[in-house]
Amino acid sequence: MTQNKALSAIAGLGRPITVDVLLVPGCSLLTAASSVEPLRAANRQAGRMVFDWRFVSVDGHAPLTSSGIAWPVSGRHDPSAPRDILAVVAGFGAAQMTDRKLTAHLYRAARTATIVIGIESGAWLLARTGLLDDHRAATHWEDFEEFAAAFPNVDLRPDRYVIDGRFITTSGASPTLDMMVDLVRRVLGHPTALDVASSFVHDDLRAAGDAQVNVTLGDASHDPRLVRAIRIMETHIDAPVSIAAIARRVSMSARGLEQLFTRQLGQTPGAYFLSLRLAAARRLVNDTRLTMTDIASRTGFSSQSALSRAFSRQFGISPTSSRKGRPSVA
């Protein structure tokens, strides 16, 4: 494992590591908890305050989470106050949070922190500041295509979490827990990190580069070649590759891949790939203002009419009707 200067600086402080957890309206309760519970457990295991965290918001008010519960905060976040770690926790609606004051606030705050973490949709807000340009990053799999189109200078990866220099990005609640346990390991060592994981009965720690697809597959009994094949599909939503090409990349014959998918998922790889593309299309239809032509292009369909036919077969409603039935995007 390569040495990370920013993480090494944090680990060698010799004093409590200060952490500002900046909550944005629409964030998930589970994700917010995952960002600090491993730190609390680490303090308990160490018998001292290793991590000194606080919840804050931009305006000092308790932000409303995605479940409708207001999360208490210590007060207004001061972007000029140096902190060791700044963690920006965002969820639903982050893609539409384009207020320049918020972007300027985050840019200023990120410049005063040693480590900057974008948690779940927090990567959207950090990317908008330009700080993630030319860096590797992760975001939730539902937002992958839209994020990649919005920020072409960010090297987006389909990983659970990504560490690149002083920037860390995570794709959801579970990867955030894994990332924080990894942070504990770097500061307090492997035995303490295992104790922290065990305190949550979390015995399936995933590495940063593990594919998010593992979550969608459920248990760990699936053939690794199946996981790799689906990861290839998920990274080629906009430009589908042939099943034969996917089979070659996972060192299988096309017939063998067909049998593997049918045996473990109950459908052919072609049908599974199409369902992934249509799921991505439905998210773009319902959650963005992109034209149907743009959505067709981003999900690998040759035309708007081709998208409409496949969409209607899959969901029993046309893309246009599906969008009309949703509240407008803020």
Side-chain angles (χ1 to χ4, degrees):
M1 182 177 294
T2 59
Q3 189 79 355
N4 183 290
K5 292 182 179 179
L7 288 169
S8 295
I10 290 292
L13 284 175
R15 59 164 173 79
I17 298 168
T18 57
V19 184
D20 272 356
V21 183
L22 179 59
L23 301 180
V24 175
C27 67
S28 157
L29 285 172
L30 185 58
T31 305
S34 295
S35 67
V36 297
E37 279 298 298
L39 307 184
R40 175 200 60 76
N43 288 351
R44 177 171 173 265
Q45 293 294 338
R48 57 187 174 88
M49 181 181 287
V50 180
F51 299 95
D52 180 13
W53 74 88
R54 61 173 185 161
F55 289 107
V56 292
S57 64
V58 171
D59 60 9
H61 299 138
L64 202 63
T65 62
S66 57
S67 60
I69 298 174
W71 190 288
V73 295
S74 299
R76 184 189 302 269
H77 181 244
D78 180 0
S80 65
R83 307 296 285 180
D84 298 319
I85 298 175
L86 169 67
V88 182
V89 185
F92 288 110
Q96 287 76 46
M97 293 180 183
T98 58
D99 180 71
R100 291 183 178 180
K101 291 183 178 179
L102 174 60
T103 301
H105 181 107
L106 293 175
Y107 181 84
R108 186 180 178 191
R111 295 289 294 268
T112 65
T114 303
I115 297 287
V116 181
I117 308 175
I119 294 179
E120 195 163 332
S121 296
W124 279 90
L125 305 182
L126 294 179
R128 195 162 283 120
T129 69
L131 292 170
L132 292 185
D133 284 358
D134 301 318
H135 284 79
R136 291 175 291 111
T139 193
H140 194 279
W141 61 270
E142 287 188 352
D143 299 331
F144 198 91
E145 299 84 11
E146 190 180 356
F147 187 105
F151 306 108
N153 293 326
V154 178
D155 183 5
L156 190 62
R157 303 295 180 92
D159 299 347
R160 291 174 63 78
Y161 64 96
V162 169
I163 300 174
D164 190 354
R166 69 187 192 93
F167 295 100
I168 303 174
T169 46
T170 76
S171 60
S174 178
T176 298
L177 181 64
D178 289 337
M179 181 274 296
M180 284 299 185
V181 173
D182 187 20
L183 178 63
V184 170
R185 178 187 63 80
R186 293 168 186 264
V187 174
L188 294 174
H190 198 71
T192 300
L194 288 178
D195 287 340
V196 167
S198 296
S199 69
F200 299 107
V201 200
H202 187 48
D203 56 359
D204 189 25
L205 288 171
R206 305 282 182 84
D210 284 354
Q212 294 179 44
V213 69
N214 286 340
V215 176
T216 64
L217 287 175
D219 63 65
S221 64
H222 292 285
D223 191 303
R225 295 171 298 178
L226 180 72
V227 174
R228 292 200 303 272
I230 294 177
R231 185 168 189 175
I232 293 169
M233 293 177 182
E234 291 197 325
T235 55
H236 289 81
I237 294 292
D238 61 334
V241 294
S242 69
I243 300 304
I246 294 173
R248 286 194 297 270
R249 290 178 62 177
V250 299
S251 303
M252 296 185 71
S253 66
R255 179 174 175 79
L257 188 63
E258 293 266 354
Q259 293 173 339
L260 178 63
F261 266 77
T262 302
R263 183 172 64 252
Q264 296 212 348
L265 298 181
Q267 57 183 312
T268 66
Y272 190 90
F273 200 177
L274 178 60
S275 70
L276 288 179
R277 293 164 53 209
L278 286 170
R282 181 164 61 175
R283 290 191 295 274
L284 293 174
V285 165
N286 293 333
D287 297 340
T288 76
R289 293 193 181 95
L290 290 172
T291 67
M292 295 302 168
T293 300
D294 285 341
I295 292 173
S297 176
R298 292 190 184 191
T299 52
F301 291 93
S302 59
S303 65
Q304 178 180 338
S305 59
L307 167 65
S308 183
R309 288 193 298 271
F311 194 102
S312 298
R313 285 195 301 269
Q314 181 84 353
F315 303 118
I317 187 174
S318 71
T320 303
S321 297
S322 181
R323 174 169 283 179
K324 288 179 179 177
R326 302 279 293 188
S328 61
V329 179

